[in-house]
Amino acid sequence: MAVNMQIRGTYHVSCGWCSEPACAGRIDVTWGDVMLPYLMAGALAIGPYSGVDLSTLLDKPMLVREIVVELTAAEVVQEATGAKLDDLDGRQIALTEAGFELSLDVELSVGRAIFEVEAQAPDAGTDSYWLAFDGEQIDKPFVISRGALSSRSFIVDIAQAGKHTFGLTLREAPGSAIKTVSIAMASTKMPQPPMRQELVGAHPRIFFTADDIAAMRARLDNERVQSFYDLPELLTRKPPPFRPGKRNGGAFRSLGTYALGHVLAPDEHQLAAIIEWLEMATTYETVGVDLDAEYFMEGLALTYDWLYNDLPEDLRNRVRRTIAKQCRLLFNASVAGATGGGLHFQQNHYWFAHLALALGAAAICGEEPEAERWLAWAWDRYERIALTFSPDASFHEGPSYWDYSMPTLYMYTDLYEWCTGLKIPAGDDGLAGQGQFRFHYLYPGLTLSAPMEDSSVKLGRPPIKLLLWEAKRFQDPVTMGLAELLNSGPRSDRFNLLWLDESLAAVDVQDNIPLARYYQDVETAFARTDWDDDATYIAFISRPLGGHRWAELCDKYRLSGTGHNHPAQNHFVLFSRGAVLAGDPGYTYEKKTRNHNTVLVDGQGQYGDGEMWPGPKPGRARITRFVTDGDITIISGDAHSAYPADLGLTRFDRTVVLAGRDLVVVYDRLAAKEPRIFSWLLHHWGQTSEADGRWTIVRDAAQVTVAPLLPEELAGEAVTYRPQFIHPTRDLTPKEADINMLELKTGPVADATFLVPLLICDAGQEVPSSHIVSADRCDAVRVGDTVVAFNRGDAEMVAPLPSGQTLETDAQVFVARLQDGKLQVVTAPAEE
């Protein structure tokens, strides 16, 4: 499928989805008429895969730069000590050596100066410098990109015109490469006002105005509102004093909940408690430019705006100055690409940092001279997020970070549209359906979620407010049905009211959401046999880190940051009869392929193996086949490109077949350029026993038997180990930290086929037999009255049916079973 984009009806292009020939034409995305008022300062053709120059997306168009000094690599060598001229991928660079030091004296006018270095480091031990301005060393290291040339900058306000000195020295080992160094004076331009005129000078003005309050109060009497929202209790917690060197903003994040409660039901005691918190906030130093900034600003900005007319004037002025101080820090850091998330538009830290700027600037716009510019810049940042968001209602950082990040994106989206009066330039295709995507992570019973990527193994249901947001925005009765199904009672969270449309009808979820679903951008598939609590469920993933759209942007435009992704392609989880039978340890700080139900090659994992935060990688794993019919689902993935090239892996095709409640079959075809040892992995928290080359795992009331039929010669080992849950600054070790792993290992071979039925039943129940019934052109297994067959090539195969007949078909996979005397056959064709 192709990417189609049209900007104001003047430009239309079409191209393949990514650089892999096999992936070309996989997804069809139409953006329609895209207006980019802040990003572009007018209409401009842009498309991530259109072949159009994407520099407008990655540059800073609101910035006007006047270059003062710009040094090439040769000039850096000439001006510096401890550097030599070298070549990197055909580009001339200055290679740093021991004793590297660069000092530049420049004449600067009053204003804002940008010191920028285009550089790269080979590893974590060479990626930082010390930067000094006018002889005073900057507190934080100046950190450059690893593995790819990229620009990093530092902003400094010049209060006095004249000669100023920038100095750059090594903080770590030499070996980094510098392509250019520049110093520029910067100013900003605004293509249009960032706030509707009727909001300027008014309070409250964020998400509602004074004219809306009476209707909001009346809503509290509505029974449906009462099922989702209730007023907060009196704020009795005391505000914590500022702790230098610690995270400080988190305590303030929910302050807006109490502020809205006071708006709806004025209470002098509640107001006094809120004022105490605001007083403390004005004593705070800065709270950084990352997550903590958003927590702090979400509470402070909303409370300042919503209670503006209830606050003493002196306190109001001090709160405004506190907000302005934090916004100034965020803006300067963002211009330098140094906020949380850097330039990683699809990483949650980027969303948090820039929502903090947007909230603060929206609260004080028109009251602080710089706030209008800050707000326009926040919209510029938002438009980049919208343009690069996944197009198929999916998200690449897993269910836990969906719960954590989506409130930020939804709030940012609402704030953009509310303040500007404009529709977001793109992204609605990717936002509609997010609730269903998150819902599919829920195991049968709808209590626990599959902990894929960085998620807790105890992760539960999604926040109801996020389902309410989507239902309201898209007037979607299915998502409203999800909200009602999963709602456990009213909450006082402000957005349980602001994002609720109590007039919206709800429909039955089971009648309107499919049992199985495949998401193409993030290459994730889900399937369950039915909606009963004891149903069998699988989830499967095989994708580029970050998903196709973000992976291609990163590859083509030297971006980085795929957030909380794991090197776990062709990985699956299995849940049945109320228990996890093939699991995922979830959030780890050392991301290991070994922690997942996939394959190791000579004991080695995929790209990103062993990294804490894997960045973009060259692998383009993908799901190649998805067929579903009732309680039968067939999913295939190709993950060979997810492994480092030096392993010589030329094939890793995996098919996982959910063949009803009692049977899952895993079929793997592997090949390498030279003999390798292939290790087939399955993780669990059950009790393991082995007999006759079969391993039975019992977990609570459920049981699964791993019964490998191919290869004929393999070694099996059951071990228990503990993944790396400990970060240098925090420990996320869960209660059940140790995980059991079954490893089925070949000897050194150039190719291997694994045919592994997973036989599911109640704990203690007799395990059914499984028989290999392969023919010349297929590998097949029979369990009871079910046959699952896999075509070894592209020609027709002839395979036995459970009825005693044979089936001749050119399908790649088929499932045939007898139920109540009737034969059911489900086939999966060759990849198109």
Side-chain angles (χ1 to χ4, degrees):
M1 300 175 233
V3 174
N4 300 301
M5 295 185 179
Q6 188 174 17
I7 309 300
R8 294 184 74 183
T10 61
Y11 200 93
H12 185 81
V13 293
S14 178
C15 77
W17 181 258
C18 74
S19 58
E20 285 278 314
C23 292
R26 286 178 63 73
I27 293 183
D28 187 15
V29 181
T30 302
W31 286 14
D33 292 344
V34 180
M35 294 293 296
L36 307 165
Y38 298 97
L39 178 63
M40 300 302 173
L44 200 60
I46 181 171
Y49 313 104
S50 63
V52 175
D53 183 6
L54 200 60
S55 61
T56 47
L57 177 63
L58 308 179
D59 285 349
K60 307 175 178 73
M62 282 183 56
L63 284 180
V64 178
R65 299 188 183 207
E66 180 184 350
I67 299 295
V68 179
V69 172
E70 186 168 29
L71 302 183
T72 64
E75 290 167 331
V76 170
V77 171
Q78 183 178 348
E79 295 290 333
T81 58
K84 67 176 183 180
L85 204 59
D86 207 334
D87 182 86
L88 178 67
D89 298 331
R91 289 169 288 193
Q92 200 172 65
I93 54 97
L95 184 66
T96 61
E97 300 178 311
F100 170 79
E101 184 175 350
L102 174 65
S103 181
L104 296 176
D105 294 329
V106 290
E107 290 286 336
L108 298 175
S109 57
V110 174
R112 178 163 286 130
I114 303 176
F115 178 85
E116 187 163 276
V117 178
E118 185 182 6
Q120 80 172 69
D123 51 52
T126 59
D127 66 347
S128 65
Y129 301 85
W130 288 120
L131 178 63
F133 177 68
D134 286 345
E136 184 174 339
Q137 182 175 292
I138 306 304
D139 291 339
K140 293 186 177 180
F142 187 81
V143 181
I144 62 173
S145 171
R146 274 181 264 159
L149 279 170
S150 182
S151 294
R152 296 291 186 269
S153 53
F154 177 79
I155 307 293
V156 60
D157 289 321
I158 308 300
Q160 184 174 349
K163 187 170 75 173
H164 295 274
T165 303
F166 289 89
L168 191 68
T169 58
L170 290 179
R171 176 177 175 264
E172 298 177 289
S176 53
I178 299 175
K179 186 172 181 288
T180 61
V181 175
S182 65
I183 300 171
M185 295 301 296
S187 59
T188 56
K189 61 180 180 180
M190 283 182 292
Q192 66 182 63
M195 181 172 279
R196 290 184 286 144
Q197 187 58 44
E198 60 266 31
L199 296 180
V200 177
H203 288 286
R205 63 183 178 199
I206 298 179
F207 304 134
F208 61 86
T209 68
D211 293 340
D212 301 315
I213 293 175
M216 291 167 64
R217 290 173 176 169
R219 293 175 62 199
L220 299 182
D221 295 327
N222 183 287
E223 288 186 6
R224 203 168 186 211
V225 170
Q226 292 169 0
S227 69
F228 288 101
Y229 176 78
D230 59 10
L231 290 167
E233 297 180 351
L234 179 66
L235 176 58
T236 57
R237 289 183 298 119
K238 296 299 181 183
F242 185 80
R243 300 172 300 158
K246 304 289 185 180
R247 290 188 175 185
N248 291 280
F252 285 82
R253 193 177 190 186
S254 63
L255 193 60
T257 287
Y258 298 96
L260 182 62
H262 178 72
V263 170
L264 298 172
D267 181 332
E268 62 181 25
H269 300 292
Q270 189 76 282
L271 180 61
I274 294 169
I275 285 175
E276 185 178 0
W277 277 74
L278 294 177
E279 288 282 2
M280 181 62 75
T282 65
T283 69
Y284 271 34
E285 300 174 22
T286 61
V287 290
V289 293
D290 202 348
L291 306 176
D292 223 31
E294 197 283 331
Y295 305 157
F296 185 68
M297 197 68 83
E298 185 177 331
L300 204 60
L302 294 180
T303 302
Y304 171 86
D305 176 60
W306 293 347
L307 301 186
Y308 183 92
N309 297 307
D310 293 324
L311 301 179
E313 183 178 1
D314 174 66
L315 174 60
R316 196 165 58 214
N317 292 338
R318 285 184 284 119
V319 172
R320 182 171 60 248
R321 289 194 293 269
T322 300
I323 293 173
K325 178 176 66 175
Q326 185 62 40
C327 283
R328 190 173 295 110
L329 181 71
L330 282 161
F331 175 76
N332 287 343
S334 179
V335 170
T339 61
L343 288 174
H344 314 155
F345 308 133
Q346 291 307 317
Q347 214 276 333
N348 70 82
H349 289 247
Y350 189 87
W351 301 356
F352 276 86
H354 291 92
L355 174 60
L357 179 62
L359 282 167
I364 62 174
C365 188
E367 301 162 18
E368 190 72 26
E370 297 171 272
E372 188 178 36
R373 177 177 58 181
W374 297 336
L375 190 55
W377 181 261
W379 301 152
D380 171 286
R381 302 291 97 180
Y382 175 81
E383 288 171 358
R384 296 160 199 269
I385 294 169
L387 285 164
T388 57
F389 191 65
S390 179
D392 65 347
S394 62
F395 179 66
H396 67 94
E397 291 194 274
S400 182
Y401 274 87
W402 190 95
D403 295 354
Y404 176 68
S405 305
M406 286 300 159
T408 305
L409 182 61
Y410 292 176
M411 202 186 321
Y412 208 168
T413 299
D414 280 357
L415 195 64
Y416 175 96
E417 293 186 338
W418 175 264
C419 289
T420 65
L422 303 171
K423 185 73 174 173
I424 63 172
D428 262 350
D429 287 344
L431 291 173
Q434 283 287 335
Q436 289 191 40
F437 173 71
R438 176 61 180 86
F439 178 70
H440 281 297
Y441 277 103
L442 285 171
Y443 288 139
L446 307 183
T447 299
L448 289 176
S449 296
M452 303 175 83
E453 313 303 340
D454 276 346
S455 299
S456 166
V457 294
K458 298 297 184 182
L459 180 66
R461 296 174 170 182
I464 298 302
K465 64 183 178 183
L466 301 181
L467 303 177
L468 296 177
W469 181 89
E470 183 185 336
K472 179 180 180 179
R473 180 176 183 85
F474 299 107
Q475 290 296 288
D476 180 15
V478 178
T479 307
M480 194 67 197
L482 280 178
E484 294 199 337
L485 175 66
L486 301 179
N487 185 28
S488 60
R491 298 177 62 88
S492 58
D493 188 304
R494 54 218 172 276
F495 294 110
N496 272 40
L497 179 68
L498 296 178
W499 290 347
L500 169 64
D501 180 354
E502 61 270 26
S503 67
L504 181 62
V507 297
D508 184 80
V509 167
Q510 297 183 16
D511 293 336
N512 290 277
I513 294 181
L515 292 170
R517 177 73 188 269
Y518 163 44
Y519 292 87
Q520 291 177 299
D521 185 46
V522 296
E523 298 287 12
T524 303
F526 307 91
R528 66 187 75 218
T529 53
D530 54 54
W531 291 110
D532 293 343
D533 291 356
D534 61 355
T536 297
Y537 164 101
I538 59 172
F540 181 88
I541 187 167
S542 190
R543 69 168 184 225
L545 295 179
H548 283 293
R549 170 170 283 186
W550 186 239
E552 287 306 304
L553 283 172
C554 290
D555 182 51
K556 294 181 179 181
Y557 302 102
R558 300 180 189 172
L559 298 174
S560 60
T562 51
H564 295 269
N565 286 211
H566 287 212
Q569 312 324 319
N570 275 2
H571 162 62
F572 71 95
V573 297
L574 170 64
F575 185 96
S576 185
R577 291 162 167 79
V580 176
L581 298 178
D584 186 320
Y587 202 143
T588 57
Y589 280 115
E590 185 181 41
K591 312 291 191 277
K592 299 286 288 184
T593 303
R594 183 177 186 261
N595 295 338
H596 300 88
N597 304 317
T598 183
V599 167
L600 302 180
V601 181
D602 277 354
Q604 298 183 55
Q606 300 170 3
Y607 283 118
D609 191 67
E611 296 181 16
M612 183 180 295
W613 313 117
K617 305 298 178 186
R620 291 295 181 267
R622 58 201 177 90
I623 289 176
T624 57
R625 190 175 295 110
F626 177 82
V627 173
T628 186
D629 185 355
D631 62 350
I632 295 175
T633 299
I634 301 168
I635 308 167
S636 299
D638 175 3
H640 83 277
S641 68
Y643 292 77
D646 58 7
L647 291 175
L649 192 66
T650 59
R651 183 174 190 176
F652 178 17
D653 295 325
R654 164 166 282 186
T655 297
V656 178
V657 177
L658 175 61
R661 180 169 176 260
D662 300 332
L663 177 63
V664 170
V665 181
V666 181
Y667 181 70
D668 295 337
R669 301 288 300 278
L670 294 131
K673 294 178 180 178
E674 58 186 66
R676 300 286 186 185
I677 295 172
F678 298 110
S679 297
W680 189 99
L681 308 179
L682 186 139
H683 297 78
H684 64 94
W685 288 275
Q687 299 296 317
T688 308
S689 60
E690 187 269 337
D692 301 324
R694 307 204 307 180
W695 287 262
T696 295
I697 299 164
V698 177
R699 171 75 166 173
D700 299 332
Q703 176 178 299
V704 62
T705 296
V706 182
L709 300 174
L710 294 174
E712 293 180 355
E713 295 184 7
L714 57 77
E717 182 181 15
V719 300
T720 300
Y721 73 100
R722 177 169 295 191
Q724 174 57 271
F725 296 107
I726 301 175
H727 182 271
T729 61
R730 53 182 168 158
D731 185 349
L732 289 183
T733 303
K735 184 177 180 180
E736 289 186 294
D738 295 334
I739 191 167
N740 304 317
M741 180 179 74
L742 173 62
E743 180 176 7
L744 306 179
K745 186 183 297 187
T746 70
V749 292
D751 58 78
T753 297
F754 285 87
L755 176 59
V756 186
L758 305 178
L759 312 173
I760 305 163
C761 59
D762 296 339
Q765 185 178 337
E766 183 179 353
V767 179
S769 60
S770 57
H771 306 283
I772 191 163
V773 290
S774 300
D776 288 344
R777 295 177 179 174
C778 72
D779 292 313
V781 57
R782 178 166 182 166
V783 179
D785 287 334
T786 300
V787 172
V788 182
F790 304 90
N791 197 327
R792 293 199 197 103
D794 298 326
E796 288 190 340
M797 62 176 174
V798 179
L801 295 172
S803 60
Q805 300 171 308
T806 59
L807 175 68
E808 184 174 347
T809 176
D810 61 0
Q812 286 295 299
V813 186
F814 81 72
V815 180
R817 68 179 176 185
L818 283 171
Q819 280 190 320
D820 301 324
K822 295 182 179 180
L823 179 66
Q824 178 189 14
V825 178
V826 178
T827 62
E831 181 188 358
E832 296 180 357

